[in-house]
Amino acid sequence: MDTPKIPAPKDEGEKQVLDKLVAIRDQLQLRKLDRTTYVRTQDVMVLYDQVLEQVKRLNEIRGGKATEEIQENRVDRVVDSCFQLLSLFFMTIGRNNEAPAAYALTSTIKRLLDHLTEADLFSAKDLESMSQTLEHLSDIVNTTPDTQSAPYLETLIAKRIERCRASLTALQKKIEDIAVPLRPTAEKLVSVLRQMAVINTKSKVDRTNFPADIHRYVAQLRDISDSRKDGHFVDEDGNKLKGSDKVVALMERCQLYTGIILEKNGTFPDKWRPVYDVLIGIRNELDKLSLTQAWSLRETDLYDFQRQLDKIDESRVDGNWVDDEGQPAELYVQRTLLYLIRRCYGYIYHLMLSSEPVSEALLPIYNQLQTLKRCLVEVKKCGVSSVRELYPYSMKLNSIDNMRVDGKFMVGEDIPEGQGSVTTLLADCFDLNYELRVAAEASEESNDSTPGSRTPDV
């Protein structure tokens, strides 16, 4: 936000708005850092209303001009920071299915689509996931009750969704330009290139096995290359397939990248090491969060990662990083750093999608119930022969059920968001437990009625 590229506002009214928004953003960041208490809905909504009030005032100062007509200044960046934080706070309190929660996701999807377009390296699965997410976000925005307090935010999110859809359509068109029989080959090449990038950016590269790991994929590339006829991919009749030239170009990219990383042998230029180490650190932290998300992630934690990545991404000049002398990074450095940035944004996207519509105050109960449900499902698969085997599950379910007050899970005097999700999950567990109990009782009765099943009297 403080970069010289983003000038300070000149209008006195905008300066006042900026000061108030900075103060609100600071409050949001302090609340984000406070782990002593869970985030309460009322605390978030107070700050949300204050941001909307300042945005409304900003629009009045600008005379209702469209954002595109106004040169971006520092106040716009602070508005974005506030909405980004508020969006993650809405996820944290369990209000995932409301328009404000969609803001952070649209930002991440936009970044991912921009990078996929720039790298020209993507699979149908990448696009399918984002297409479904955009549809879901569009439904959220369209079904949010009309309010006079937040038309700006809803309109802004709707426009962001449309821009993402336009980028998505352009990428889907590129896949459609490849013949259906050739698409699996293109998908395989994308997978190979990504797997080599994973090997090349391991935190601790084993240089002894490094060439062997890469040569596995070299063999796959050779097999794909050998499947061509006269340098082209052809059908059964020998006719050149649609999109053959694109897939050949992709294969050559893979071969070029393979040669470069074998030459580098897991090393990275010292000049670019600081940026590389930061990105490796972010990737590793996000990877850990993806494994322990249910128990350790507060969605607002993602804000700092996003801002670090945005800063590195936006430091590029004409799509590449430049050193202190203005020299652009070599191809190997550029592709490696871009891969890491895309990987980090991909983790953030996954973590946001995995966010449950439950307040963090109820997450411990919700996570326990999810674990219980998984255990009961496994018990059902294996079968149960005695009611006694179900006692631990029954006791745990009853202890959780007894935590409710008038049918609700309370935290102090508050009723946290996500009551419906927790109650539904609890009911599912009780239903499963009941089914297993009936099955166990039937099994016991069957055993008792089997001749010779009773122990003879001594």
Side-chain angles (χ1 to χ4, degrees):
M1 186 199 74
D2 299 321
T3 172
K5 294 180 181 178
I6 309 299
K10 297 178 180 179
D11 183 89
E12 192 60 38
E14 288 195 20
K15 291 179 182 178
Q16 294 176 7
V17 170
L18 175 62
D19 292 340
K20 291 185 178 180
L21 285 172
V22 168
I24 297 169
R25 186 195 59 187
D26 291 345
Q27 290 182 61
L28 287 166
Q29 289 183 318
L30 287 172
R31 187 66 195 87
K32 174 177 72 69
L33 296 171
D34 184 5
R35 294 277 184 169
T36 58
T37 58
Y38 74 92
V39 179
R40 301 191 308 164
T41 299
Q42 52 267 45
D43 296 337
V44 174
M45 296 311 295
V46 167
L47 294 170
Y48 175 60
D49 290 338
Q50 290 178 10
V51 170
L52 291 179
E53 181 182 344
Q54 294 306 314
V55 170
K56 183 179 178 182
R57 186 182 170 196
L58 179 64
N59 286 338
E60 291 172 352
I61 292 170
R62 292 177 170 179
K65 291 182 180 179
T67 307
E68 294 79 7
E69 301 175 27
I70 300 169
Q71 182 184 5
E72 183 183 56
N73 61 41
R74 212 163 291 171
V75 70
D76 297 289
R77 282 299 180 100
V78 180
V79 168
D80 175 67
S81 295
C82 289
F83 280 142
Q84 195 77 19
L85 274 165
L86 284 166
S87 183
L88 295 170
F89 268 113
F90 265 71
M91 293 184 191
T92 303
I93 62 176
R95 298 178 73 160
N96 302 45
N97 295 321
E98 297 184 25
Y103 189 91
L105 252 174
T106 56
S107 297
T108 304
I109 291 174
K110 182 68 169 61
R111 289 275 181 181
L112 283 171
L113 288 170
D114 286 346
H115 284 142
L116 291 178
T117 302
E118 178 184 9
D120 198 18
L121 186 72
F122 52 90
S123 68
K125 290 181 181 179
D126 297 332
L127 305 187
E128 183 181 351
S129 172
M130 285 187 274
S131 178
Q132 292 174 352
T133 303
L134 289 172
E135 285 298 322
H136 175 63
L137 296 180
S138 184
D139 290 342
I140 289 175
V141 173
N142 292 332
T143 56
T144 298
D146 291 332
T147 59
Q148 293 301 315
S149 59
Y152 170 83
L153 180 58
E154 291 167 16
T155 302
L156 177 61
I157 294 173
K159 287 182 178 178
R160 288 158 72 101
I161 291 173
E162 286 307 310
R163 284 198 292 270
C164 288
R165 277 178 171 163
S167 298
L168 191 65
T169 300
L171 292 174
Q172 288 170 334
K173 177 67 168 59
K174 291 187 176 183
I175 290 180
E176 291 169 2
D177 288 340
I178 298 174
V180 174
L182 195 50
R183 289 176 192 174
T185 302
E187 296 269 336
K188 180 64 177 177
L189 288 169
V190 170
S191 175
V192 166
L193 197 55
R194 287 177 174 174
Q195 288 301 317
M196 288 194 293
V198 169
I199 295 170
N200 189 47
T201 55
K202 283 182 179 178
S203 298
K204 294 182 180 179
V205 177
D206 183 354
R207 295 187 184 180
T208 304
N209 295 327
F210 184 80
D213 292 337
I214 297 298
H215 280 302
R216 280 186 298 145
Y217 295 104
V218 171
Q220 294 179 27
L221 290 174
R222 189 181 301 116
D223 290 341
I224 293 173
S225 179
D226 291 344
S227 69
R228 293 180 296 165
K229 183 177 180 180
D230 296 330
H232 303 294
F233 292 100
V234 299
D235 60 18
E236 295 177 354
D237 298 325
N239 298 316
K240 180 179 175 182
L241 287 167
K242 178 185 177 183
S244 172
D245 293 342
K246 290 185 177 181
V247 179
V248 169
L250 179 56
M251 184 187 68
E252 290 173 349
R253 280 180 62 185
C254 290
Q255 293 169 334
L256 174 62
Y257 187 61
T258 302
I260 293 174
I261 61 177
L262 282 172
E263 179 187 341
K264 297 295 183 181
N265 196 31
T267 62
F268 203 80
D270 292 338
K271 180 166 54 174
W272 301 104
R273 195 81 201 187
V275 179
Y276 178 82
D277 288 341
V278 169
L279 290 174
I280 288 289
I282 294 173
R283 185 199 61 183
N284 292 346
E285 286 297 317
L286 290 170
D287 185 44
K288 289 177 187 175
L289 283 175
S290 70
L291 297 175
T292 62
Q293 175 188 11
W295 302 96
S296 61
L297 176 69
R298 175 186 273 186
E299 284 80 358
T300 50
D301 295 339
L302 299 175
Y303 177 81
D304 292 332
F305 293 122
Q306 283 182 310
R307 283 301 179 243
Q308 280 182 284
L309 292 171
D310 292 349
K311 184 177 180 181
I312 294 172
D313 197 15
E314 292 170 7
S315 67
R316 292 189 287 160
V317 178
D318 296 328
N320 198 356
W321 286 271
V322 296
D323 59 20
D324 296 337
E325 299 175 357
Q327 296 299 314
E330 61 182 290
L331 180 64
Y332 170 72
V333 170
Q334 182 187 17
R335 287 192 175 177
T336 302
L337 296 182
L338 279 175
Y339 162 76
L340 287 171
I341 285 181
R342 287 197 299 273
R343 185 66 175 150
C344 291
Y345 279 123
Y347 271 123
I348 290 173
Y349 172 71
H350 167 74
L351 290 167
M352 287 182 182
L353 283 188
S354 303
S355 174
E356 299 287 355
V358 175
S359 168
E360 67 171 352
L362 294 184
L363 271 180
I365 298 172
Y366 187 80
N367 291 333
Q368 289 178 56
L369 287 171
Q370 281 193 315
T371 302
L372 265 174
K373 185 174 180 178
R374 283 194 291 268
C375 290
L376 290 168
V377 168
E378 288 302 315
V379 170
K380 187 176 181 179
K381 289 179 182 177
C382 299
V384 59
S385 57
S386 169
V387 174
R388 185 173 297 178
E389 295 177 32
L390 300 174
Y391 283 174
Y393 306 108
S394 299
M395 291 174 64
K396 185 61 179 178
L397 283 172
N398 285 322
S399 70
I400 293 177
D401 190 35
N402 290 335
M403 295 170 65
R404 293 196 286 180
V405 179
D406 296 329
K408 293 182 173 60
F409 291 96
M410 306 282 290
V411 178
E413 299 296 320
D414 297 329
I415 304 176
E417 303 281 347
Q419 297 287 330
S421 297
V422 178
T423 302
T424 300
L425 190 53
L426 179 62
D428 289 344
C429 290
F430 270 118
D431 289 344
L432 275 169
N433 195 57
Y434 177 74
E435 289 176 22
L436 290 168
R437 181 180 174 183
V438 170
E441 289 174 346
S443 177
E444 288 179 340
E445 290 176 5
S446 176
N447 290 335
D448 288 343
S449 62
T450 302
S453 63
R454 295 181 62 184
T455 304
D457 294 335
V458 177

